[in-house]
Amino acid sequence: MGVRGVPTTRHQREDGMTHRTIARSLLAATVLLAAGAEAQGQAAAPNQIQQASLFRADVRDRPGCEPTAANGTVTWPEAIGNPAVSCPDAFGWTSFLTAVEQAFWTWGTDQTIWIDDPKAICGREGSPADCCDPAVFDETPPLGEAPPAGCPYYPPDWTNPPPIIVARPSPSHTHDFLERLDPARVLRQEEAEIVFRNRPFVRYTLAQNLYNKESLGARFTAMQDWVNVNAPYNNAALAIDYPTDAVMFKVDFLSQSLMLENGLIRGEDDGGRTLDPPNNPDAPYVTMLIEETLAPGDEEPELYYLVAVTAASKAIPTWHWYAIEHVGNLGRCDFTGCNDAYGYSAAGVTVDGESFGQNYIPPKTENSEDATLDIVFDLGTPYTPEETGERITPALDGLMAAMGIGTGDGPQDPDTPSAADPAWRSYRLKASQTEFVTATGMPTHAGQSITEGGFVNSASCMTCHSQAGPDATGNPGVPGIGATNDLNLFGLSQTVNGAPDPDWFHATGTNQMRVLPMDMVWGMLNASCVAPKGKTGLCETYEGAQFSPPGRPHAAPSAPARATSGRPAR
C-alpha cells in the first residue's frame, strides 16, 4: 500500500529494495549537496527536465477569475469578458461541475447519435416515410418510452431509453516493461471510454444531417462544388459549426475487476472494515453500473469506476478543452506535469519569503543510475497530496458547495453517480487548452494519462481534433487520427501538436479539398451508411435531397469544375 491508501503497482509491491530505491538515495545525496551549495549562496541550477517544464508551467488564469454560483447558474465578474479565454482553468472547473450538476451520465453518447443502422432524415424531397424527424427536438419531453430505431436521440427525452453500451478496446500492450514504466498505457488498453454529449450537441447533429456517412460525404462534395464555382466567397450554411452551448464529455472508466487487479481499489479500509463496493477509502472513485458492453465474453453488467475525463465546451470557436484525473492515477503528472491555477494549490517554491508556482506540479525525476548521473523521468507512481502539497482552494471549495457538488456523506446508490457524492473531491484538473501554440510559438499540450497513455508527452487535444472531418465518402479525410510517423522509445506512435498543417485540409497551392472540417468532432468515426455498399466502408450513393446539407441549393458547377470536385466515383 502506498502513501495514505493510494495503492502501489504490483511491481512496486513485489520488488522490495529495488533499483529505484538506490537511485533515489543517490538523488537524495545530490539534493543534499545542492542544498549545501545553496546555503553558501550557490543556488543549484535547474536540471534539463525542469528547464523544459518551464514552457508548461505558465499561469493560465488572469487575475479576477472568481466565478460564483447560485440557483444552477455560474456568474463571472463583469471585468471577465470571455471566461473561457481569460480564465481557462477556472472555466474548466465550472464546466466540469456544471456537467456533474446536469447529470452528464444521462446525456447522449456516440451510440445514441451515430446509430449503427441509421435512417435518412425527414422533410426532404425523396425522404422515405420511415425517417428521422429533427422536429422532435422542438417537442416537450417526455416524448415516449423508447426512441425510434435508427435515429439520433437524447436519452433524458425518453422515459425508457436503451442501456448504455460501451465499446472497450482489447488489451494489446501487456508487456512487462510497460507495466513498470508506463502503467497508464496498459490501463488505456483496458478502459471503457464513453463520450457523453449534451442536448444542444445532439440536436445540432440531427438537424444538420451529420449522423450518417452519406450526408457527411454529400456535404463535403457540396462544399467543394461551391468553392469551384464561387471562390473566394464562403458558404456558411455548408460549414459545420456547433452551437456555443454544445458540450463533449469523454469519460474513461475501468471495471471493478480491473481496478482490483491493478491495486487501485481494495475491499477493506484501514480499520479492516469491509468496503461495499470496494473503493479507495482515502480518495474514493465515482462509480456507475454499466449494463452492456461490446467486449466479447464480458456481456454481464459490471460496476465501473471513473478514472479520468477529457471534455470540451464550444465557448470559443476552437472549443475550450480540459482534462481531469483522479488523484490516485499512477503517473497522472508524468511527462508534462499538472497545471491548475484555480482549483487546487500545489507546493510550488518559496523565494525570499514569496511563494511562486502553486499552479504547477512538475513531473517526477530520478537519477539515471549511470556514470552520467543524468536526471530522467521517474514514471508510473502516484502523485499524492503529501508529495505535491495539493490543497483545495477556498474558491473551488465554495463553488462546489454552492453547486451542491461533493457535499454528501457518500453515494446513495453506487450504481448511479450523484452530484452530492463526496468522491467528486478526488478529482484534479490536469490541464486546460485554448490555443494551438503559446504567444511565443511553443506548441501547447493537453492530455490525461489514461486516454493519452503512451503519448502524453506529445498530446494536444486541439491539434488532434482539428483533423476531424469527412472526405467525399463520409470517411475521415485525414487518416491516422492525430498519429505521426514519430515513435517514442517504446515504439508507440506519437501524436500531432502545435498549429494544424494546411496540407491536411487542401492540396498544396489549390482549393482542392482533402477534408471538410467537422468542427473538431471525431465522433464522426462512428457514422454508418443508410445503405452500405457491402463491406467496402462506402455507401450505395451519396446523392439525393435526403442526404444534402441544409440551406438553399446552389447552381450546378460546370463540367470541368465538377471533374475536380472530389466527388467519389459511382
Side-chain angles (χ1 to χ4, degrees):
M1 184 57 56
V3 180
R4 285 201 53 180
V6 178
T8 57
T9 59
R10 282 170 294 195
H11 78 274
Q12 290 170 315
R13 291 194 299 268
E14 295 167 358
D15 286 352
M17 187 68 174
T18 64
H19 66 277
R20 285 182 183 272
T21 307
I22 299 171
R24 289 193 180 110
S25 298
L26 291 172
L27 183 58
T30 304
V31 171
L32 287 174
L33 289 173
E38 187 172 358
Q40 299 176 30
Q42 303 171 6
N47 62 49
Q48 81 279 5
I49 292 178
Q50 293 169 328
Q51 292 176 22
S53 296
L54 171 71
F55 304 107
R56 297 177 176 180
D58 55 307
V59 179
R60 292 167 187 170
D61 282 10
R62 302 192 67 182
C65 293
E66 300 174 357
T68 57
N71 302 319
T73 301
V74 175
T75 303
W76 296 85
E78 290 185 8
I80 304 297
N82 188 331
V85 174
S86 298
C87 313
D89 290 353
F91 188 83
W93 273 111
T94 60
S95 299
F96 176 70
L97 297 180
T98 298
V100 173
E101 186 180 48
Q102 295 177 359
F104 69 82
W105 50 91
T106 67
W107 291 359
T109 67
D110 285 356
Q111 288 85 7
T112 77
I113 302 171
W114 291 278
I115 304 294
D116 284 340
D117 189 15
K119 298 173 183 175
I121 200 167
C122 297
R124 308 287 182 85
E125 180 184 348
S127 294
D130 188 12
C131 54
C132 299
D133 187 2
V136 70
F137 276 90
D138 297 326
E139 301 175 17
T140 302
L143 306 176
E145 286 198 9
C151 297
Y153 64 94
Y154 185 63
D157 288 348
W158 306 84
T159 58
N160 190 27
I164 288 177
I165 297 175
V166 176
R168 190 172 75 187
S170 300
S172 61
H173 291 282
T174 56
H175 310 294
D176 287 344
F177 78 93
L178 273 177
E179 189 169 294
R180 293 194 307 272
L181 298 178
D182 197 355
R185 176 68 186 196
V186 177
L187 295 180
R188 177 180 186 269
Q189 303 308 115
E190 300 173 330
E191 52 99 11
E193 181 178 285
I194 306 176
V195 185
F196 296 95
R197 306 179 190 268
N198 69 351
R199 196 173 195 267
F201 186 104
V202 181
R203 178 175 186 162
Y204 181 87
T205 306
L206 174 55
Q208 290 285 314
N209 206 11
L210 300 172
Y211 64 92
N212 60 76
K213 275 191 180 182
E214 288 96 336
S215 297
L216 292 172
R219 196 169 188 130
F220 172 99
T221 300
M223 180 66 88
Q224 182 67 75
D225 287 349
W226 172 272
V227 169
N228 289 340
V229 174
N230 299 296
Y233 305 105
N234 289 282
N235 186 337
L238 295 176
I240 300 171
D241 185 13
Y242 276 82
T244 56
D245 54 353
V247 174
M248 302 186 287
F249 202 84
K250 180 166 62 178
V251 183
D252 294 329
F253 291 96
L254 284 175
S255 66
Q256 183 178 103
S257 55
L258 287 171
M259 294 288 287
L260 287 167
E261 179 183 339
N262 286 279
L264 297 173
I265 57 173
R266 49 199 172 102
E268 294 182 347
D269 64 14
D270 294 333
R273 293 180 292 271
T274 299
L275 297 174
D276 186 20
N279 214 315
N280 180 338
D282 296 303
Y285 291 82
V286 171
T287 59
M288 183 170 77
L289 182 71
I290 296 179
E291 297 185 33
E292 294 187 14
T293 75
L294 298 181
D298 188 20
E299 288 79 15
E300 293 298 321
E302 188 171 2
L303 198 66
Y304 279 75
Y305 293 69
L306 193 159
V307 293
V309 172
T310 305
S313 303
K314 189 62 190 292
I316 57 178
T318 51
W319 300 75
H320 170 282
W321 302 83
Y322 63 96
I324 296 281
E325 297 230 25
H326 187 275
V327 68
N329 283 358
L330 301 175
R332 67 180 169 97
C333 300
D334 284 356
F335 299 108
T336 61
C338 293
N339 198 337
D340 178 7
Y342 176 78
Y344 280 81
S345 62
V349 65
T350 299
V351 179
D352 296 332
E354 188 173 354
S355 297
F356 299 89
Q358 278 69 37
N359 63 298
Y360 188 68
I361 301 170
K364 290 184 180 181
T365 61
E366 64 179 347
N367 193 280
S368 63
E369 304 178 53
D370 59 22
T372 67
L373 297 181
D374 286 336
I375 302 301
V376 297
F377 286 126
D378 179 11
L379 304 174
T381 65
Y383 284 75
T384 66
E386 287 79 4
E387 293 176 292
T388 64
E390 283 172 289
R391 293 185 179 182
I392 191 169
T393 63
L396 178 60
D397 193 35
L399 191 66
M400 294 183 75
M403 299 178 72
I405 310 297
T407 56
D409 295 329
Q412 298 281 323
D413 179 3
D415 292 351
T416 304
S418 63
D421 188 347
W424 294 115
R425 291 177 173 265
S426 300
Y427 296 86
R428 305 287 187 268
L429 180 70
K430 170 75 173 286
S432 62
Q433 188 179 32
T434 59
E435 298 175 308
F436 294 107
V437 299
T438 67
T440 57
M442 294 292 294
T444 62
H445 295 270
Q448 40 97 338
S449 64
I450 305 299
T451 294
E452 284 77 32
F455 50 90
V456 171
N457 59 326
S458 65
S460 167
C461 296
M462 291 182 65
T463 313
C464 174
H465 279 260
S466 73
Q467 294 184 338
D471 61 12
T473 69
N475 291 296
V478 183
I481 315 177
T484 72
N485 291 325
D486 294 327
L487 305 178
N488 67 11
L489 294 177
F490 304 153
L492 302 175
S493 178
Q494 296 297 277
T495 53
V496 293
N497 54 70
D501 186 344
D503 198 48
W504 296 339
F505 309 100
H506 291 88
T508 303
T510 75
N511 287 332
Q512 179 66 41
M513 292 168 50
R514 288 181 167 147
V515 59
L516 174 66
M518 184 73 179
D519 199 14
M520 298 192 163
V521 176
W522 269 125
M524 59 153 288
L525 293 169
N526 299 287
S528 301
C529 295
V530 173
K533 189 175 183 179
K535 297 182 179 180
T536 63
L538 305 177
C539 310
E540 287 290 347
T541 179
Y542 296 83
E543 295 180 335
Q546 70 268 34
F547 301 131
S548 65
R552 182 177 178 180
H554 56 275
S558 62
R562 185 175 294 278
T564 61
S565 68
R567 185 187 297 277
R570 300 184 179 89

